Amino acid sequence: MSGQGNLPYRGTGGLGFDEEAVPDTDPSDTSKILLERLQAYKHACGYLEDYISATEKVEKAHAKEYEKTVSDPLKEGQHFDQSLGGIAGLFENIRSNTQGLSNSHLETEKNLKGSVLPILGRLHAEIKNKSKELSGGAVKGSKNVDKARNITQKHIELLGQHTASFSSSGGKVDASNDPYVLQRGVHHRLGKQILEENNNRDDLIAVQNSFQAFEGHVIQTFQQALSAFQQFMGSQSEQQKGMYSDMVATAQRIPPDFEFKGFVKRNNQLLIDPSAPKRSASNISFPNQNHASTQPLIAGTLERKSRAVIKGFNTHYYAVTPSKFLHQFKDDDDFRNDPTPELSLYLPDCTVGSVSGEKFNVKGKDASKGKVGGALAMSHELAFKAHSAADAQRWWKIISEAAGAHNVTNELPSPTSPVESRNVSGQQYPPQNQKVAPVQTQGLPQGGSVPSAGATPASATGGAYSAGGVNSPGTSGVSRAPGQY
């Protein structure tokens, strides 16, 4: 038959056609790549959903954090002016704007969750439905093509077996295995195969053509979601910009001296007045400042003979106190150094010699080192020299009265160096079988006092005594307070 020459067959002989009856290509390749593409778009949509969802959570967290920052009041806020225009007003403005920022974050979180995420959620569902549609149509058609090809392939192989046996058996074959009948069976099955292939081809072409429109829809939906996202975030950004600008403007309107002026006005009773005069020791009083025991009987400068090899007189500041001590100081300055006595003589334990012009002697032990040090101290005979004879008489009179009449002798100041003798504890008094030498009172006026001189020198004053030698209460031996000589 003339039509038999156009039938396709598997290329096992010398003849061949342009196409094979059963192609080697996989009919499901096209549907697979389309499914993969849908899967890619589904993942892209999922990534956008995750991003928007994460932003929504961040907005919610920001709102909570901002609420924490404005929940506590300003510490030590009483130090700031509570009226507008100061630090307290600035932080009230910050608190108000921060509350607005928190509300804007909450509003953005609600908009993202209620308006943007649903757009992407619907698109995600559409992509999944598209994948199901492709799996139910084109993928099923590809399986039918595979099945038809397998059937065709079996009959082509059956035809090949019986055509080979036809040649070997000399043309003797069964009726059902006649190559002619088998060939027509191949045509029949090949026709069904081609019909399935063409139907599947049409389905895939339709899917491919719809993919372009569907992808355009997917991209437009992405754009719509991101546009809504930008709108909400941009609106929030504008609100934040305005609130931050208001904070900065409020801070810049505060005058630099506004707070300090208010602070000084509110606390003027606690702050120091720069115009007030400084304190002076002369204007200060304290308890027992003018007690009789604190006022010297006499005080001033005297010269004392040095015990050094090169002899001479050194000037010191001396004071006789109501406690009957003769204290020696470096000077009369109470402020530069602590006025600790360099030498202290307890006059009732000392011997006072007579006056010779401007000079007189006092013999005793230094009591400034305490009881233990005083017990082991050396006895010194100190030679004093006043500025004048009248000054010497005034010093000698007050020292003699403090020492007692029994400790005053007629011994004149020695022209030699002071005599030193060491008294050890337990040897301060003579043995009981020895008599104490009587005190010489010859030449002294009765009552143990010496008439006072007519004029008072500037270096020493005896104002603590009247002209008759009686101590006048309420008066001092000095004309000025201690430290003002």
Side-chain angles (χ1 to χ4, degrees):
M1 297 178 61
S2 60
Q4 294 178 357
N6 297 326
L7 294 177
Y9 64 93
R10 198 180 258 297
T12 55
L15 299 177
F17 298 94
D18 294 335
E19 296 182 6
E20 294 181 354
V22 181
D24 293 336
T25 58
D26 189 351
S28 62
D29 289 343
T30 304
S31 59
K32 286 180 181 178
I33 193 171
L34 293 177
L35 282 173
E36 289 180 2
R37 188 163 183 81
L38 286 175
Q39 193 77 1
Y41 272 111
K42 187 177 73 172
H43 288 157
C45 183
Y47 292 152
L48 279 179
E49 287 182 286
D50 292 342
Y51 180 79
I52 303 298
S53 179
T55 306
E56 172 253 329
K57 292 178 181 178
V58 168
E59 295 296 321
K60 186 176 181 179
H62 279 177
K64 290 183 178 180
E65 291 299 324
Y66 276 126
E67 288 179 356
K68 293 179 183 179
T69 60
V70 297
S71 60
D72 297 330
L74 186 63
K75 295 181 179 179
E76 286 83 30
Q78 72 276 7
H79 280 276
F80 302 114
D81 199 318
Q82 299 304 310
S83 61
L84 295 178
I87 296 298
L90 168 63
F91 278 91
E92 185 60 34
N93 177 271
I94 292 176
R95 185 177 292 107
S96 175
N97 282 310
T98 303
Q99 187 63 49
L101 289 172
S102 177
N103 294 336
S104 70
H105 282 292
L106 285 176
E107 187 67 22
T108 303
E109 181 256 338
K110 292 179 181 178
N111 290 331
L112 294 179
K113 189 175 182 180
S115 299
V116 180
L117 285 176
I119 296 175
L120 296 174
R122 290 191 295 268
L123 178 61
H124 201 134
E126 290 179 15
I127 296 174
K128 292 175 78 173
N129 292 334
K130 188 72 173 178
S131 298
K132 291 180 180 180
E133 180 184 346
L134 181 59
S135 299
V139 174
K140 186 177 180 180
S142 299
K143 292 181 179 179
N144 293 334
V145 171
D146 280 338
K147 184 178 179 181
R149 285 181 177 179
N150 290 332
I151 294 174
T152 302
Q153 181 65 32
K154 288 180 180 180
H155 279 75
I156 290 176
E157 292 176 355
L158 183 60
L159 175 61
Q161 292 176 5
H162 289 285
T163 53
S165 64
F166 176 81
S167 300
S168 61
S169 62
K172 186 178 181 179
V173 294
D174 295 335
S176 58
N177 294 325
D178 189 342
Y180 171 78
V181 176
L182 295 176
Q183 183 189 37
R184 293 190 64 177
V186 170
H187 278 284
H188 173 73
R189 288 160 179 80
L190 184 59
K192 286 185 177 183
Q193 171 192 328
I194 292 174
L195 180 62
E196 293 291 343
E197 289 177 345
N198 290 334
N199 290 336
N200 184 56
R201 179 177 179 273
D202 293 338
D203 291 340
L204 291 176
I205 290 174
V207 172
Q208 287 180 193
N209 293 335
S210 67
F211 251 64
Q212 182 177 358
F214 184 74
E215 287 190 11
H217 168 68
V218 171
I219 293 175
Q220 288 176 351
T221 305
F222 285 171
Q223 293 170 346
Q224 178 187 359
L226 290 175
S227 178
F229 175 75
Q230 186 272 337
Q231 180 180 357
F232 293 129
M233 298 302 294
S235 175
Q236 178 196 344
S237 178
E238 290 297 327
Q239 292 178 8
Q240 288 183 342
K241 182 179 179 181
M243 293 176 187
Y244 288 135
S245 299
D246 184 55
M247 295 181 196
V248 174
T250 302
Q252 291 177 342
R253 285 194 296 267
I254 302 176
D257 58 348
F258 177 82
E259 283 293 341
F260 190 75
K261 286 182 177 179
F263 171 69
V264 172
K265 184 177 180 181
R266 294 189 303 272
N267 301 276
N268 55 356
Q269 72 280 7
L270 299 177
L271 299 176
I272 299 174
D273 184 5
S275 61
K278 295 182 179 180
R279 297 185 70 195
S280 173
S282 61
N283 299 328
I284 297 176
S285 62
F286 50 87
N288 299 315
Q289 179 180 8
N290 296 317
H291 192 271
S293 63
T294 65
Q295 307 303 316
L297 303 178
I298 188 172
T301 56
L302 291 173
E303 296 183 24
R304 198 190 91 186
K305 182 178 289 188
S306 173
R307 292 162 44 223
V309 178
I310 303 176
K311 300 187 175 49
F313 283 88
N314 296 324
T315 301
H316 299 278
Y317 186 83
Y318 294 91
V320 178
T321 68
S323 302
K324 299 182 180 182
F325 278 99
L326 172 62
H327 295 297
Q328 173 185 303
F329 300 90
K330 183 178 181 181
D331 50 39
D332 63 341
D333 190 348
D334 292 345
F335 304 104
R336 184 173 54 194
N337 297 309
D338 188 11
T340 303
E342 298 176 340
L343 176 70
S344 295
L345 299 178
Y346 185 57
L347 294 176
D349 292 343
C350 298
T351 303
V352 182
S354 299
V355 181
S356 176
E358 301 173 351
K359 301 179 181 178
F360 62 93
N361 289 357
V362 178
K363 183 178 181 181
K365 294 195 297 182
D366 183 8
S368 63
K369 304 298 187 294
K371 293 183 178 181
V372 177
L376 300 177
M378 300 174 61
S379 180
H380 302 277
E381 183 175 357
L382 307 178
F384 295 102
K385 179 181 179 182
H387 294 285
S388 64
D391 196 8
Q393 285 289 344
R394 185 173 293 276
W395 277 94
W396 183 87
K397 175 179 178 293
I398 295 175
I399 291 174
S400 298
E401 290 181 350
H406 62 284
N407 287 331
V408 179
T409 68
N410 291 328
E411 183 180 354
L412 296 175
S414 174
T416 60
S417 62
V419 179
E420 299 181 3
S421 62
R422 185 173 184 84
N423 293 329
V424 183
S425 178
Q427 298 181 357
Q428 297 180 6
Y429 302 96
Q432 295 181 356
N433 57 356
Q434 295 183 3
K435 295 183 179 180
V436 181
V439 179
Q440 298 181 2
T441 59
Q442 183 178 359
L444 294 176
Q446 294 181 356
S449 63
V450 179
S452 61
T456 302
S459 63
T461 59
Y465 294 86
S466 64
V470 181
N471 187 10
S472 300
T475 61
S476 171
V478 292
S479 60
R480 287 178 289 179
Q484 297 184 349
Y485 298 96

